[in-house]
């Protein structure tokens, strides 16, 4: 996956549990778990804003782009056509 | 172009995750009651399915009797076969206090075998068994599909499979009916002799079945797109 979610890293830095974040942000544990595992396909701005506010960080601290050579991104294959 | 096969394979990989997700949201799904129309269709489907199973069992029993030669003569073998007929008769048409002369030239009828040769009995029974298997298979898949719809599981991978199975079964039924009708008209209808009417060899094409099969296949593709969108919505946090 090209975008990596570093939620667990930020949680460790802030010494906060997933349950506490879930309560403070207002997102269910299952949804946070999806996000943490990297199974999520998209993230709403409102969610990102709420998480950043609670964890007192920037979106870049949670999301990280990781170049993945094994998979060609969609926009590249689209432009080749 | 989106590759549907690749999508289905990827979905199989994520099946475990989907099951997990389903169980987490099961309680929410249960609270939602299906619309009345869906519930009515589901009940009708269940009744039709049970009836088809019963009819199939009767046909199997009937076939066993025919194959083993235990079909008693006093229990006559009745078969109705649709045929096109060429007739010529003159009649009158009364309308607005006037009378016009009219003639009837073509008609549709049914051949009613009062009793037939054992070989033909077996032939008809086999044809009936094959047609019933197609119908039962289709009914089974449709029942499962409706069960999922009733549960509120619309755009599921299983539903896409069910729709495709129904489409292929209908296509198979259409091909089988065409072949059967061809053989039936070539081997049987030409050998009938009646005094006042002539049987034509025009046969029913059952194109509605083919159109239904194509429509369902197209619907399966729409469901694939729907499934992708649902998955995306599920995984958008």
């Amino acid at each position: 996956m090209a975008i990596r979610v570093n939620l667990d890293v930020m949680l460790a830095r802030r010494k906060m549990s997933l349950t506490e974040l879930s309560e403070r942000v207002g997102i269910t544990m299952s949804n946070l778990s999806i996000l943490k595992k990297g199974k999520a396909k998209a993230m709403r701005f409102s969610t990102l804003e709420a998480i950043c506010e609670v964890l007192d960080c920037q979106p870049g601290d949670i999301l990280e782009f990781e170049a993945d050579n094994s998979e060609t991104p969609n926009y590249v294959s689209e432009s080749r056509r | 172009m989106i590759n549907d096969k690749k999508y289905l394979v990827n979905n199989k990989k994520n099946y475990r995750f989907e099951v997990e997700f389903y169980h987490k949201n099961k309680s929410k799904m249960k609270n939602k009651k299906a619309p009345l129309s869906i519930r009515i269709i589901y009940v009708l489907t269940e009744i039709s399915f049970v009836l088809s199973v019963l009819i199939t069992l009767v046909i199997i029993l009937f076939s066993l009797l025919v194959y083993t030669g235990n079909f008693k003569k006093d229990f006559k073998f009745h078969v109705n076969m649709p045929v096109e007929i060429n007739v010529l008769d003159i009649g009158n048409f009364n309308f607005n206090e006037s009378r016009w002369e009219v003639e009837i030239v073509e008609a549709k009828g049914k051949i009613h075998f009062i009793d037939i040769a054992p070989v033909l009995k077996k032939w008809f029974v086999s044809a009936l068994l094959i047609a019933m298997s197609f119908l039962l298979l289709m009914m089974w898949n449709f029942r499962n599909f409706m069960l999922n719809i009733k549960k509120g599981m619309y755009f599921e991978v299983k539903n896409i499979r069910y729709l495709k199975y129904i489409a292929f079964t209908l296509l198979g039924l259409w091909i089988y009916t065409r072949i059967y009708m061809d053989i039936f008209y070539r081997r049987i209808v030409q050998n009938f002799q009646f005094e006042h009417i002539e049987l034509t060899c025009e046969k029913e094409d059952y194109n509605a079945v083919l159109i239904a099969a194509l429509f369902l296949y197209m619907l399966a593709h729409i469901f694939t797109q729907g499934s992708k969108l649902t998955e995306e919505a599920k995984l958008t946090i």
Side-chain angles (χ1 to χ4, degrees), chain A:
Chain A
M1 193 171 167
I3 300 288
R4 207 169 69 180
V5 183
N6 291 322
L7 194 65
D8 43 354
V9 178
M10 279 313 292
L11 282 170
R13 274 187 199 161
R14 299 287 181 262
K15 289 175 185 168
M16 197 185 280
S17 68
L18 202 67
T19 321
E20 196 187 339
L21 182 71
S22 159
E23 279 165 8
R24 288 179 68 180
V25 173
I27 300 172
T28 58
M29 277 289 285
S30 59
N31 277 345
L32 272 183
S33 175
I34 290 169
L35 201 62
K36 204 178 134 191
K37 280 178 192 168
K39 297 267 183 190
K41 291 218 169 183
M43 199 174 174
R44 288 190 194 95
F45 279 147
S46 56
T47 312
L48 193 61
E49 193 185 320
I51 293 173
C52 286
E53 203 181 326
V54 170
L55 293 176
D56 189 26
C57 64
Q58 291 299 311
D61 297 328
I62 298 167
L63 303 173
E64 187 190 345
F65 174 70
E66 200 176 50
D68 192 358
N69 296 327
S70 59
E71 271 181 44
T72 316
N74 282 339
Y75 63 86
V76 176
S77 52
E78 285 290 328
S79 62
R80 274 178 192 166
R81 278 176 201 167

Side-chain angles (χ1 to χ4, degrees), chain B residues 29-42 146-154:
Chain B
M29 283 177 178
K30 270 187 181 174
N31 294 334
K32 281 184 187 174
K33 212 174 182 184
L36 182 68
S37 56
I38 298 290
R39 276 182 283 148
I40 291 171
I41 296 170
Y42 176 71
M146 279 311 298
L147 189 68
N148 280 352
I149 296 290
K150 195 184 147 246
K151 281 179 187 169
M153 296 153 68
Y154 301 102

Side-chain angles (χ1 to χ4, degrees), chain B residues 87-151:
Chain B
V87 285
L88 186 61
D89 199 6
I90 295 165
N92 291 312
F93 173 58
N94 301 318
F95 187 71
N96 267 358
E97 295 172 1
S98 306
R99 179 178 280 192
W100 286 275
E101 200 173 77
V102 286
E103 59 181 25
I104 183 165
V105 287
E106 275 179 10
K108 279 186 181 181
K110 275 181 185 172
I111 291 194
H112 187 192
F113 290 94
I114 293 155
D115 202 13
I116 47 170
V119 183
L120 280 177
K121 268 183 196 173
K122 284 178 188 172
W123 195 51
F124 279 128
V125 162
S126 311
L128 198 62
L129 266 178
I130 296 168
M132 253 344 263
S133 345
F134 274 114
L135 284 172
L136 201 65
L137 192 66
M138 196 186 72
M139 283 301 297
W140 167 251
N141 283 312
F142 187 66
R143 181 190 164 270
N144 289 340
F145 174 76
M146 279 311 298
L147 189 68
N148 280 352
I149 296 290
K150 195 184 147 246
K151 281 179 187 169

Side-chain angles (χ1 to χ4, degrees), chain A residues 40-44 47 81, chain B residues 1 17 20 24 235-237:
Chain A
K41 291 218 169 183
M43 199 174 174
R44 288 190 194 95
T47 312
R81 278 176 201 167
Chain B
M1 202 179 147
F17 176 70
E20 222 173 84
K24 274 176 191 165
L235 298 174
T236 299
I237 315 296

Side-chain angles (χ1 to χ4, degrees), chain B residues 64-76:
Chain B
L64 284 173
L65 286 174
V66 170
Y67 283 124
T68 52
N70 290 324
F71 202 83
K72 286 175 187 173
K73 273 202 168 180
D74 50 332
F75 187 49
K76 285 183 179 174

